Amino acid sequence: KTYNVAVVGATGAVGRTMLKILEERNFPVKDILPLASSRSAGQRIEFSGKTYEVEEAKPSAFEGIDIALFSAGKDISLNLAPEAVKRGAVVIDNSNAFRMEPEVPLVVPEVNPQDLKKHKGIIANPNCSTIQMVMVLKPIHDRARIKRVVVSTYQAVSGTGLEAIEELKLQTKQVLEGLSPSPEVYPHIIAFNLLPHIDVFDDSGYSLEEWKMVRETKKIMGDDSIAVTATTVRVPVFNCHSESVNIETCEKITAEEARAILAKAPGVVVMDDPKNKIYPMPAYLSGKDEVFVGRIREDFTVPCGLNLWIVADNLRRGAAYNAVKIAECLVEYNLI
Ligand code: A2P
Ligand code: 11C
């Protein structure tokens, strides 16, 4: 069986990656429909050796679509995902629009594929920084029950989109030429800087990106008791998010055992030999679909603690690959 697949946001950083991954993985596509704003209508894109024209995303575009992958921002998802479902499509939505709705499964296929079974038309793809963290937390939780997680992120500009990638390129050049850049995408300069600010702040002092990591982790892991606290930081890296993660467990787990458990975890690669300069780094991991973990060590300040360093390609593993993997599971479980 083959499927008519729409990609909403097909001209964006994640949308383009979704098309690439559908093609690479030979997803059973009957026809592809690239959708974006009216500004991009008529633009041509290549898919599996054929040329397609980008069309404007509007309700009628979803007639005859079986699967719609959305990555054009929250407002577009809120407006158009229900329209796509009404016309018979299953939506896999990469935005923050529906993630915390109780009836919407929030899925990382390696962690909670069973949640797909209760879908009612919309499935949410989690935030990129959450996906790479839960893939490492899950096998540790299964063995030793996680009580508390303290995470600090080092997030690449590709998470913001194509404009932010251009801004980092431009500003880097400007600074090296002795010019002072004027920030456009971010509230401050991003070249040679760090911004402890991702998404909007609320009265608690936390940013929405930090709250996403807290709430989404509990929902994906199916355990509200896991306490998560996060500090999310934008760094002048083009692609791949990195995370420093401190975990407190109920049962003792040694670094060696953690390494052995993670080596067997689906989609996780242990890269941990620091004396030989082996640890995950964003500069080398673009284009990969696994989550890389290193610097695995015990936290000696508590009876049952671990410190880890996690890196993954946020556009692929944290967004497009996860979405395509959800689509593959839907096909496998006959849920379309
Ligand atoms: P467009 O290129 O036509 O603006 P990124 O995250 O890389 O910035 O990409 C955002 C994606 O969302 C792009 O594909 C963009 O299309 C799409 N998009 C933005 N606004 C709309 C809209 N009003 N309707 C449909 N797609 C949109
Ligand atoms: C970033 N994590 O790196 C964001 C991008 O809720 O899906 C993805 C935002 C989201 O800026």
Side-chain angles (χ1 to χ4, degrees):
K1 196 170 172 212
T2 54
Y3 302 89
N4 288 325
V5 181
V7 174
V8 186
T11 52
V14 172
R16 287 179 187 196
T17 313
M18 284 170 162
L19 289 165
K20 209 189 312 171
I21 293 178
L22 286 167
E23 196 173 346
E24 281 170 15
R25 294 180 65 81
N26 266 321
F27 188 82
V29 172
K30 191 194 291 170
D31 228 341
I32 200 93
L33 177 62
L35 300 173
S37 77
S38 54
R39 295 179 295 274
S40 304
Q43 199 175 306
R44 281 158 202 275
I45 61 139
E46 299 285 319
F47 184 85
S48 288
K50 282 207 259 173
T51 305
Y52 292 84
E53 264 191 23
V54 176
E55 292 180 27
E56 181 184 352
K58 53 181 183 208
S60 58
F62 296 98
E63 297 292 348
I65 293 296
D66 303 303
I67 305 169
L69 303 177
F70 273 69
S71 195
K74 184 178 175 178
D75 293 342
I76 312 293
S77 294
L78 284 172
N79 285 336
L80 291 179
E83 298 292 339
V85 172
K86 228 189 274 174
R87 288 167 176 81
V90 175
V91 167
I92 301 168
D93 180 37
N94 190 47
S95 83
N96 189 32
F98 307 106
R99 287 181 187 147
M100 297 315 296
E101 300 283 324
E103 77 282 4
V104 173
L106 179 65
V107 173
V108 178
E110 290 82 351
V111 175
N112 60 334
Q114 70 286 354
D115 289 353
L116 288 172
K117 299 201 168 118
K118 57 175 196 212
H119 89 79
K120 296 192 168 60
I122 300 180
I123 294 133
N125 210 39
N127 182 26
C128 38
S129 39
T130 314
I131 293 177
Q132 67 184 71
M133 183 170 80
V134 294
M135 284 186 58
V136 169
L137 295 185
K138 180 63 164 55
I140 295 175
H141 190 55
D142 288 347
R143 155 68 181 80
R145 252 192 70 222
I146 295 175
K147 275 200 277 198
R148 180 166 184 254
V149 177
V150 182
V151 54
S152 299
T153 69
Y154 305 69
Q155 296 183 223
V157 296
S158 61
T160 311
L162 292 176
E163 284 176 19
I165 297 175
E166 291 311 313
E167 177 136 312
L168 175 58
K169 275 187 207 162
L170 178 69
Q171 289 186 356
T172 303
K173 218 166 143 259
Q174 288 173 329
V175 172
L176 292 175
E177 286 168 356
L179 303 168
S180 53
S182 41
E184 276 174 30
V185 175
Y186 297 112
H188 299 281
I189 182 172
I190 182 65
F192 306 98
N193 197 13
L194 303 171
L195 306 185
H197 176 175
I198 299 184
D199 219 320
V200 293
F201 288 103
D202 69 13
D203 292 339
S204 68
Y206 285 86
S207 68
L208 183 54
E209 183 78 358
E210 290 162 350
W211 282 121
K212 285 178 198 168
M213 294 193 79
V214 173
R215 297 178 183 134
E216 293 179 19
T217 299
K218 292 171 191 269
K219 179 163 174 176
I220 299 163
M221 306 265 287
D223 189 342
D224 255 354
S225 74
I226 302 173
V228 180
T229 187
T231 302
T232 57
V233 182
R234 186 74 63 194
V235 300
V237 162
F238 283 113
N239 195 39
C240 293
H241 289 351
S242 305
E243 299 174 347
S244 159
V245 183
N246 176 266
I247 301 169
E248 217 178 316
T249 52
C250 293
E251 283 170 46
K252 174 77 186 167
I253 173 166
T254 63
E256 197 183 356
E257 196 189 342
R259 231 171 263 128
I261 290 168
L262 292 169
K264 283 190 257 151
V268 175
V269 174
V270 174
M271 196 181 250
D272 194 24
D273 186 4
K275 284 189 181 154
N276 287 310
K277 307 187 196 77
I278 293 172
Y279 27 71
M281 285 177 283
Y284 304 134
L285 295 174
S286 260
K288 305 277 189 210
D289 293 325
E290 296 89 0
V291 170
F292 296 82
V293 57
R295 301 296 322 279
I296 302 166
R297 61 212 191 276
E298 280 165 52
D299 172 0
F300 299 116
T301 66
V302 289
C304 304
L306 287 173
N307 281 309
L308 312 160
W309 173 250
I310 303 170
V311 181
D313 183 327
N314 51 296
L315 290 181
R316 291 184 66 104
R317 177 67 255 189
Y321 175 87
N322 201 76
V324 173
K325 200 93 205 262
I326 289 174
E328 289 175 353
C329 287
L330 292 172
V331 170
E332 187 186 329
Y333 304 159
N334 219 357
L335 290 170
I336 297 180

